[in-house]
Amino acid sequence: MIKAIYPGSFDPVTNGHLDIIKRAAKLVDKLVVSVLENPHKSSSLFTIEERINQLKLVTAGIKNVEVSSFKGLLVDYAKQIDAQVVIRGLRAVTDFESEFQMALTNRSLMPDLETFFIPTSVEYLYLSSSTLKEIAMFGGNICSMIPCEIKQEVLDKFTK
Ligand code: ADP
């Protein structure tokens, strides 16, 4: 059985993330989408619980997807849940340097943990949670960037 983990901030989950989740879920037996509790990111828009709930809502229809959160090193969490694979999405070349560094570092810490990169779908090439938040903050249209179920929750953060 192949168990994979897809870690990230997901602040909030975008259609780019969801596309990676759907495609990865077809390749593995179990996919754990896990929100990183990052002590260096104090400027998050959503709490960890809110992000977990959003991810659960948008992945409810995908049977082999589970949602969780973790603190500390990814390799330690991967060991804890018995995952053999890390899934990461790759957008433009700018992602490559840091993703490659992270994959090699994780591999030096845990040689059995493999990283699988999935290239973004072209329509999400320039989509990130931070771009989405900037557009939402100034009242722009975010419909094509975010799952419908959580669109209002994002807009409410900037209007309430
Ligand atoms: P962000 O950079 O949007 O804050 P996260 O830390 O939540 O992203 O990203 C988690 C993973 O999802 C990373 O591997 C990132 O490269 C990938 N990812 C983010 N946005 C996209 C996208 N639009 N298409 C493909 N992969 C993406």
Side-chain angles (χ1 to χ4, degrees), residues 6-10 16-17 20 88-89 91 95 99 120 124 127 129:
Y6 178 34
S9 308
F10 306 109
H17 294 128
I20 298 292
R88 297 291 288 175
R91 284 163 293 191
D95 271 346
E99 290 291 340
T120 186
Y124 307 128
L127 177 56
S129 298

Side-chain angles (χ1 to χ4, degrees), residues 17 21 29 80 101 119 131:
H17 294 128
I21 293 172
D29 299 294
Q80 190 192 316
Q101 187 184 3
T131 310

